């Protein structure tokens, strides 16, 4: 991950939520994978409201890390608790195979009905950042600080917090909820630290990667797009089945062979073959057994 951050240009990390989607990101040639917390929650059939446990997230990170060689950027929400939990969660994520995590300054799950009351103070957030930095296994592990205050407290406050979080030692800064090109340009201009930008479908202006790199952003994540596309595809084939009584004629599917190739079935069979006998050995007769 550090080597990628040291390179020139923008690091594009599409959002995956399971081993299959992560394999597809790697096969498409992207250098890193973003593990979306919302995508993981929805893969369980749940909403993204902070009810996914840290154990479930760590288990998913480990299962994805086992099938990809790409560095993983994992969503740690607000740390799944205070500094004590952050000091447990960061090394657990690293041991599971994450190369980076990001922490946000909005309490997750929310404690109060009023959204503004769920925003952490800047002082509390800087303490959580320091806790994450002090508990990471080594300096190569990347800690990203995310601020979610722009919709409630304004972009100026978000930028001020971003700079405070960088001063606290965060490796990368992530200002969430930028919806216009002018907001992205302001963050790029006024935050000197390496910056992550996240683009979600339907959120205003979405400049291409080259333009974001020219502004000075270092990482681009697209958290939801793969899962949105998968949901659309599954709904489409189910509607076709309901309307026609068959999936014949629905052509937007890969072949079985392509599916098996994606997950490495042939390689798995070859590995199995190293340990399996050549064939069924003759069954000894009763007379032989008596002897």
């Amino acid at each position: 991950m550090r080597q990628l951050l040291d390179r020139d240009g923008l690091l594009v990390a599409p959002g995956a939520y399971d081993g299959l989607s992560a394999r597809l990101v790697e096969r498409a040639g992207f250098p890193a994978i973003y593990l979306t917390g919302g995508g993981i929650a929805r893969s369980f059939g749940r909403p993204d409201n902070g009810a996914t446990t840290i154990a479930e997230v760590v288990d998913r990170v480990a299962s994805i890390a086992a099938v990809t060689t790409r560095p993983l950027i994992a969503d740690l929400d607000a740390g799944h608790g205070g500094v004590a939990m952050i000091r447990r969660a960061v090394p657990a994520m690293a041991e599971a195979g994450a190369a980076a995590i990001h922490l946000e300054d909005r309490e997750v799950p929310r404690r109060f009905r009023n959204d503004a009351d769920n925003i952490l103070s800047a002082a509390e957030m800087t303490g959580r950042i320091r806790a994450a930095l002090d508990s990471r296994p080594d300096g190569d592990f990347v800690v990203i600080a995310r601020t979610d205050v722009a919709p409630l407290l304004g972009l100026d406050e978000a930028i001020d917090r971003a700079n405070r979080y960088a001063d606290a030692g965060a490796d990368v800064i992530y200002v969430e909820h930028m919806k216009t090109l002018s907001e992205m340009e302001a963050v790029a201009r006024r935050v000197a630290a390496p910056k992550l930008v996240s683009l979600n479908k339907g959120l205003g202006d979405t400049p291409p990667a080259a333009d974001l790199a020219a502004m000075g952003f270092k990482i681009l994540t697209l958290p939801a797009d793969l899962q949105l596309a998968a949901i659309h595809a599954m709904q489409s084939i189910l509607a076709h089945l309901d309307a026609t009584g068959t999936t014949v004629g629905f052509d937007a599917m890969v072949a079985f062979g392509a599916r098996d190739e994606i997950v490495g079935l042939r390689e798995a069979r070859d590995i199995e073959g190293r340990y399996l006998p050549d064939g069924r050995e003759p069954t000894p007769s009763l007379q032989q057994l008596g002897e």
Side-chain angles (χ1 to χ4, degrees):
M1 189 69 195
R2 288 288 180 185
Q3 292 174 354
L4 292 176
L5 290 175
D6 288 341
R7 295 179 184 175
D8 293 333
L10 188 71
L11 173 61
V12 180
Y17 50 92
D18 62 9
L20 177 60
S21 55
R23 278 182 177 268
L24 290 170
V25 172
E26 178 168 354
R27 284 170 59 87
F30 292 97
I33 300 170
Y34 178 64
L35 302 189
T36 158
I40 291 172
R42 287 183 289 271
S43 75
F44 286 116
R46 304 175 189 149
D48 181 24
N49 66 345
T52 307
T53 69
I54 185 61
E56 289 173 324
V57 175
V58 168
D59 183 67
R60 184 61 61 89
V61 170
S63 68
I64 292 174
V67 297
T68 180
T69 64
R70 297 294 194 258
L72 307 178
I73 304 169
D75 181 358
L76 198 56
D77 287 333
H80 293 259
V83 294
M85 182 57 74
I86 288 170
R87 288 182 58 83
R88 288 190 63 191
V90 169
M93 294 287 265
E95 184 176 357
I101 55 92
H102 68 72
L103 285 169
E104 63 187 80
D105 57 7
R106 177 184 58 179
E107 201 68 89
V108 181
R110 63 181 185 166
R111 297 174 58 203
F112 304 99
R113 184 177 301 174
N114 182 8
D115 286 340
D117 292 332
N118 293 293
I119 296 295
L120 303 175
S121 70
E124 184 173 4
M125 179 60 177
T126 56
R128 294 188 180 197
I129 292 168
R130 291 197 302 271
L133 293 168
D134 289 346
S135 58
R136 61 183 172 179
D138 55 58
D140 287 336
F141 189 85
V142 175
V143 173
I144 302 168
R146 164 177 160 172
T147 179
D148 281 64
V149 305
L152 296 168
L153 305 180
L155 187 66
D156 287 341
E157 174 65 16
I159 291 173
D160 178 68
R161 283 176 175 244
N163 286 312
R164 290 184 65 174
Y165 301 163
D167 290 342
D171 300 299
V172 178
I173 298 300
Y174 173 7
V175 177
E176 177 64 305
H177 305 297
M178 295 183 292
K179 295 185 178 181
T180 68
L181 186 60
S182 62
E183 288 177 343
M184 294 176 193
E185 290 172 338
V187 169
R189 184 175 63 253
R190 295 167 57 187
V191 178
K195 294 168 287 291
L196 181 153
V197 57
S198 177
L199 297 183
N200 285 299
K201 181 177 175 62
L203 290 184
D205 295 331
T206 53
D211 292 352
L212 292 167
M215 287 184 211
F217 288 99
K218 192 63 189 175
I219 303 174
L220 167 63
T221 64
L222 300 99
D225 295 64
L226 264 68
Q227 193 170 61
L228 292 172
I231 291 170
H232 175 75
M234 287 187 283
Q235 287 177 327
S236 296
I237 191 170
L238 290 169
H240 181 89
L241 174 60
D242 182 56
T244 67
T246 178
T247 57
V248 174
F250 189 88
D251 296 328
M253 292 188 286
V254 300
F256 286 138
R259 176 203 63 185
D260 293 340
E261 196 270 331
I262 288 167
V263 297
L265 178 61
R266 178 176 296 179
E267 292 82 356
R269 292 295 195 195
D270 289 343
I271 291 171
E272 288 175 352
R274 299 176 191 170
Y275 310 104
L276 298 175
D278 292 333
R280 184 181 298 275
E281 297 179 358
T283 301
S285 65
L286 292 176
Q287 183 178 0
Q288 289 173 324
L289 287 173
E291 294 174 354

